[in-house]
Amino acid sequence: DLLVDGKYDLAKILLDFADTTLAKRHATEWYRLKFLVNRALAYRLSGDTGKCAEILASQDWTAAGDTFKLAEHVLLERFEAAAKLMKKIGATSEPHKGDYLNSPMYSEFRKSPLFARTFAEIFGIESHEERLLVGEPSESKPN
C-alpha cells in the first residue's frame, strides 16, 4: 500500500528492515522474494535505480518463479525479456490483468508500446481504458 500511495521513503525503511533483519525468519521463500522485489521497487520508484539494481543483483533469479523473474526484468527495464515472460505467463496466472494495469511495478513498462502490444495479445482489448492504453481509438458514439 505504501508503494501505491507513493510513500517510498517509509516503504524503503520497512522493506530494508524486512529484507535485511528479518531475512532468516520469513515463512517461505516466496515471502522473502516478495520483500526483496518490493524493496527494489521502492528504491526504483524513488529514483535510486542504482540501489534497485544492487538489490536485484543480490539474488540468483534462475530458480525463481516466472512472476519474480518478470519483476526483475521490469525493474531493470529489460522490456523485451519482460514481454516474453508476460506471454509465457499468459492470462490465467499471476500477475493478473489488473496487476499489469494498476501496479506501480509496471508503471514504466506500461509507457512502452511493447507493453501495449503484448498486453493486447494476451488479454485482448475490452475496456475504454485498455483501448487508450494500447493507443487505439475508442468507439465514437453519434450525438
Side-chain angles (χ1 to χ4, degrees):
D1 288 340
L2 294 173
L3 294 173
V4 171
D5 293 339
K7 297 178 180 177
Y8 307 133
D9 290 336
L10 180 55
K12 289 188 299 189
I13 291 167
L14 293 173
L15 290 164
D16 283 344
F17 177 76
D19 190 39
T20 56
T21 305
L22 300 178
K24 295 181 173 118
R25 297 182 185 148
H26 294 298
T28 66
E29 179 69 356
W30 185 90
Y31 281 109
R32 187 185 72 76
L33 291 175
K34 187 73 170 172
F35 280 127
L36 187 139
V37 164
N38 281 332
R39 181 177 176 223
L41 176 60
Y43 279 93
R44 175 90 174 115
L45 293 173
S46 69
D48 193 344
T49 57
K51 183 68 174 180
C52 173
E54 178 186 318
I55 292 166
L56 293 171
S58 72
Q59 173 66 37
D60 178 1
W61 297 98
T62 55
D66 288 339
T67 303
F68 290 115
K69 289 177 185 176
L70 175 63
E72 180 208 17
H73 290 314
V74 168
L75 289 172
L76 295 175
E77 293 189 7
R78 296 191 304 230
F79 294 155
E80 290 285 336
K84 287 179 184 176
L85 267 175
M86 278 179 71
K87 290 176 187 177
K88 180 180 176 190
I89 291 168
T92 58
S93 295
E94 288 189 25
H96 299 290
K97 184 180 187 179
D99 299 326
Y100 287 119
L101 293 174
N102 301 307
S103 172
M105 171 67 68
Y106 307 101
S107 60
E108 287 302 310
F109 189 25
R110 279 193 296 267
K111 297 174 186 175
S112 162
L114 178 59
F115 174 85
R117 287 192 307 272
T118 305
F119 183 90
E121 182 180 326
I122 295 167
F123 296 103
I125 301 171
E126 297 175 5
S127 73
H128 173 70
E129 291 79 18
E130 291 166 8
R131 283 189 206 100
L132 292 175
L133 174 71
V134 296
E136 293 186 6
S138 59
E139 295 175 9
S140 59
K141 295 181 181 178
N143 292 348

